[in-house]
């Protein structure tokens, strides 16, 4: 098997996919999270400002989902196909909510009628909550494992089997993490009345975040079999849960000191560390089979050919710096507090 | 209904709906680059007004295109899992390139394009417009490359058997430049330019007929007419070249397009007609030996007919392929005649006096859209029963683990959500047109 710096290609691609999904979680985390607060803002102007805080950014942030999904399709077609067809209903709901969310952003402020704005405000709120929640539910299901038989055939339930208690718990935790991220982002982008309101909301909201985080962590340790085995084999990796814990603890501290820029960094780090934790715990498995570990989808049996992975890694090496440049330019252009003008939503 | 049919209906519906928007974005992108370029060069206020006006419509089109496009990306996995595993290795690099090089470019610069008027200099704004336009062109490249590989696979080998069989890349550039990709990319680009140009023509023809915004509309109409004339003429060349490729690489599809059954005989070219798949007869107006002439420049040359293929390898819907293909050709010919005549009037200086010509333009906005749709229908239905030509059958490619009830559920959701989306699109398009190009400029003045 070909390697680069001593790491084989499937592992490298696993890192690329992980990086893309953590970028997606961080960036769309504040997009979706901001939207999940939407109905908590009372004034029409506050709601408009909140949407315009992500206005020029959300289309670009969405690129991470598209590239992440593409990277999964490209590098691990078996994983992509098995996961999406097994999780058919949650993914279809997720996609539908994405469409409704885009429509809400674009059309909400296009008309002044109160019923019009109210309908879109509710749509926007519900879609953001549902998207965040469903992403967590899918992650929870991956951690629990799927009923995968020989030839990666999914044999589990089809309509509601994705709604297990553990998956729901991960769903709620994801929602609260995103809402924390979203509120901190909005605090950075707003001033005046909305800013004051957010300070109050975030303080309350963080309690949910801490509680659900604690429950999910305990639940994982107790109910997911073999979750600590990997760490016992490689004690050095105990650093990951430790870092995650420190990052989580640091967020309320920075928020109470009103240091929102750093709070955003640490809440982003929280998500990255948690995803790293999941990635490390699963590696090299992508989708555990609950029927027989030999049926699990792994980065080796799911991977594209060495040749194809090599080409894609080359594309990433060329493309990623370009994308980083575009993003720097975009975020620099729209740095600072939201100012509504004739181009706003 | 069975899972395969439902999965096909859902894919066809979602992709056909999606395909209303990206061609419009690409076409409008080209015109915006021209308008804004002229504004930078001449400093004339009219061009700025035009750019701002069309940017608003572009933003809506682009937004719906992205939203419905994400669904396509994930629908491969949800409904076509066997297909996804089969082609993942091939599509992988094309998709990765699309995401990083094309989609990243268009989506990041889109923010600056729409919200950046007051934040960046006119030059930087123009660069962003060009960036978004190029990004959307590149996107089309990679998507069409992937589809073309399904039509004419190249640069690959097959490994594994049965459910585990899949294609692997052996030669990246041979895969990218497979026999049909270049012809089809150009053909798709041109279709997109026509969709955008005819929307601009239609809206400004409407203004001219109403006597509103006359000066600015004349300018926009002439620019869009120049684009539409050149593109509809050259569309003929890429179309012909594309058909030559089909004759060589997918003879069964070509035979279905003209309803040619006899295994090996000279083939006719129909102006229009009706195919009876049972009796294998075509009723209609034809040029005898015309297809043979187009392909081999010889009216007597034999063309491979459908009967040369075993029944299970023939496209099932011959008449549909025939009709869709002929609708596309007829529209193409009509657009050439229309734009040439209008250009002649322009040259004579009487273009804007002929109300009936403007009226035709006002309604012609639908024609490139229909041609784009039916062209794809013919291309995709003509490839049947294969999803990857000669290798993977459509009835083996769908997700076996997904039940028909699940698809019915999502299909109904799609119908509802897309119907809402389409109404919103028409509504906001109509509103922007009614408000007129100066509304945007006025808003800007008030703020200044």
């Amino acid at each position: 098997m070909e390697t680069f710096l001593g790491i084989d290609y499937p592992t490298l691609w696993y890192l690329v996919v992980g990086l893309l999904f953590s970028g997606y979680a961080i960036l769309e985390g504040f997009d979706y999270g901001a939207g999940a607060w939407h109905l908590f803002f009372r004034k029409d102007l506050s709601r408009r400002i909140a949407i315009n805080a992500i206005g020029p950014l959300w289309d670009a942030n969405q690129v991470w989902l598209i590239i992440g999904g593409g990277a999964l399709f490209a590098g691990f077609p078996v994983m992509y196909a098995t996961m999406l067809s097994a999780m058919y209903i949650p993914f279809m709901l997720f996609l539908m909510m994405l469409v409704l969310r885009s429509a809400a952003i674009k059309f909400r402020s296009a008309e002044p009628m109160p019923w019009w704005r109210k309908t879109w405000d509710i749509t926007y709120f519900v879609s953001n909550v549902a998207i965040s929640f469903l992403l967590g539910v899918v992650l929870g299901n991956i951690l629990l494992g799927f009923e995968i038989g020989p030839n990666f055939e999914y044999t589990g339930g089809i309509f509601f089997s994705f709604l297990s208690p553990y998956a729901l718990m991960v769903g709620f935790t994801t929602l609260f993490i995103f809402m924390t991220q979203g509120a901190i982002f909005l605090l950075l982008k707003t001033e005046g009345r909305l800013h004051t309101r957010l300070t109050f909301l975030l303080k309350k909201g963080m309690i949910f975040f801490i509680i659900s985080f604690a429950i999910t962590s305990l639940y994982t340790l107790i109910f997911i079999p073999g979750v600590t085995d990997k760490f016992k084999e490689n004690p050095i990796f105990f650093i990951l849960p430790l870092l995650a814990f420190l990052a989580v603890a640091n967020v309320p501290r920075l928020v109470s000191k009103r240091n929102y820029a750093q709070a955003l960094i640490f809440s982003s780090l929280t998500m990255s560390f948690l995803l790293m934790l999941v990635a490390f715990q699963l590696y090299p498995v992508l989708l555990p089979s609950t029927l027989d570990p030999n049926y699990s989808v792994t980065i080796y049996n799911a991977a594209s050919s060495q040749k194809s992975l090599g080409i894609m890694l080359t594309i990433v090496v060329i493309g990623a710096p370009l994308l980083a440049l575009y993003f720097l330019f975009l975020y620099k252009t729209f740095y600072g507090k939201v100012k509504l003008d004739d181009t706003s939503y | 209904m069975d899972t395969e049919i439902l999965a096909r209906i859902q894919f066809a519906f979602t992709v056909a709906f999606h395909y209303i928007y990206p061609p419009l974005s690409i076409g409008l992108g080209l015109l915006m680059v021209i308008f804004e370029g002229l504004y930078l060069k001449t400093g004339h206020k009219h061009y700025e007004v035009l750019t701002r006006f069309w940017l608003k419509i572009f933003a809506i089109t682009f937004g719906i295109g992205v939203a419905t496009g994400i669904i396509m990306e994930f629908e491969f996995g949800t409904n076509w899992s066997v297909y996804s595993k089969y082609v993942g290795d091939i599509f992988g690099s094309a998709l990765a390139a699309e995401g990083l090089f094309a989609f990243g470019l268009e989506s990041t610069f889109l923010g600056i394009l729409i919200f950046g008027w007051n934040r960046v200099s006119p030059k930087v704004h123009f660069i962003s417009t060009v960036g978004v336009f190029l990004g959307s062109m590149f996107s089309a490249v990679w998507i069409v490359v992937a589809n073309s590989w399904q039509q004419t696979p190249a640069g690959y080998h097959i490994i594994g058997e049965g459910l585990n069989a899949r294609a692997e890349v052996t030669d990246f550039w041979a895969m990218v430049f497979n026999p049909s990709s270049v012809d089809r990319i150009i053909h798709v680009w041109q279709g997109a330019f026509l969709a955008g140009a005819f929307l601009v023509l239609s809206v400004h023809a409407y203004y001219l007929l109403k006597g509103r915004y006359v000066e600015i509309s004349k300018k926009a109409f002439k620019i869009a007419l120049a684009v539409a004339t050149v593109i509809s003429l050259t569309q003929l060349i890429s179309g012909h070249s594309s058909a030559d490729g089909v004759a060589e690489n997918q003879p069964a599809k070509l035979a279905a397009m003209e309803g040619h059954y006899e295994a090996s005989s000279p083939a006719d070219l129909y102006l229009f007609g009706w195919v009876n798949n049972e009796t294998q007869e075509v009723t209609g107006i034809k040029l005898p030996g015309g297809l043979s002439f187009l392909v081999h420049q010889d009216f007597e040359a034999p063309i491979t007919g459908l009967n040369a293929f075993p029944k299970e390898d023939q496209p099932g819907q011959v008449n549909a392929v025939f009709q869709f293909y002929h609708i596309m050709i007829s529209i193409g010919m009509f657009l050439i005649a229309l734009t040439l005549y209008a250009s002649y009037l322009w040259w004579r200086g009487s273009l804007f006096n002929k109300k009936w010509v403007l009226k035709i333009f006002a309604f012609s906005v639908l024609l490139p859209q229909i041609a784009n749709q039916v062209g794809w229908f013919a291309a995709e239905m003509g490839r049947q029963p294969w999803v990857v030509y000669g290798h993977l059958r459509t009835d083996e490619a769908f997700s076996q683990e997904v039940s028909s009830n699940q698809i019915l559920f999502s299909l109904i959701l799609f119908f509802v959500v897309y119907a809402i989306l389409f109404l919103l699109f028409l509504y906001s398009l109509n509103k922007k047109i009614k408000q007129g190009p100066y509304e945007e400029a006025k808003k800007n003045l008030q703020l200044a």
Side-chain angles (χ1 to χ4, degrees), chain A residues 13 52 55-57 59-60 62-63 65-71 73-75 77-78 80-82 84-89 91-96 98-100 102-103 106-107 110-113 116 120 151-155 157-159 302-309 311-312 314-320 322-323 326-327 329-330 332-345, chain B residues 10 52 56 59-60 62-64 66-68 70-101 103-105 107-112 114-120 124 128 163-164 166 168-172 399 401-403 405-407 409-411 413-414 417-418 420-421 424-425 427-428 431 440 443-444 447:
Chain A
W13 198 251
N52 279 287
L57 310 175
D59 250 320
Q62 200 160 251
V63 170
L65 168 65
I66 290 162
I67 302 181
F73 186 6
V78 172
Y80 167 86
T82 310
L84 285 169
S85 52
M87 293 271 106
Y88 189 85
I89 296 292
F91 270 106
M92 280 298 163
L93 290 173
F94 169 76
L95 292 172
M96 232 58 85
L98 274 183
V99 173
L100 289 173
S102 310
K106 291 211 183 289
F107 295 111
E111 295 293 337
M113 295 85 81
W116 172 279
W120 286 118
N151 286 321
F152 311 114
E153 203 180 326
Y154 176 70
T155 55
I158 51 175
F159 258 97
S304 288
S305 62
Q306 296 289 312
K307 168 110 187 161
S308 194
L309 288 172
I311 295 167
M312 293 186 305
T314 316
I315 291 173
V316 168
V317 168
I318 303 167
L322 280 175
L323 193 66
Y326 304 154
F327 262 77
F329 181 55
L330 179 74
K332 198 175 145 280
T333 306
F334 295 100
Y335 180 78
K337 308 281 184 194
V338 184
K339 296 233 168 11
L340 296 181
D341 65 14
D342 62 311
T343 60
S344 301
Y345 283 124
Chain B
Q10 178 167 295
R52 278 173 175 262
K56 284 282 167 179
I60 302 167
F62 190 93
I64 302 182
V66 173
T68 51
I70 294 180
I71 290 185
M72 301 322 302
E73 178 184 351
F74 289 95
E75 215 177 332
F76 289 126
T78 51
N79 291 84
W80 301 92
S81 61
V82 177
Y83 161 89
S84 297
K85 291 176 204 167
Y86 195 92
V87 302
D89 199 89
I90 307 278
F91 282 20
S93 25
L95 267 177
E98 198 269 344
L100 276 169
F101 296 136
F103 199 72
L105 181 68
S107 291
T108 36
F109 281 97
L110 183 77
I112 293 166
I114 299 177
F115 302 98
W117 276 109
N118 310 324
R119 286 181 179 255
V120 296
V124 173
S128 307
L163 275 176
N164 292 319
R166 61 188 194 137
E168 280 190 354
V169 177
T170 53
D171 181 343
F172 177 70
S399 304
E401 54 274 66
V402 174
S403 76
N405 282 338
Q406 280 175 300
I407 306 179
F409 167 76
S410 57
L411 189 56
L413 271 181
F414 276 122
V417 173
Y418 280 15
I420 297 171
L421 217 52
L424 283 167
F425 171 67
Y427 172 76
S428 39
K431 191 177 150 193
E440 296 307 325
K443 269 197 235 165
N444 193 41
L447 279 159

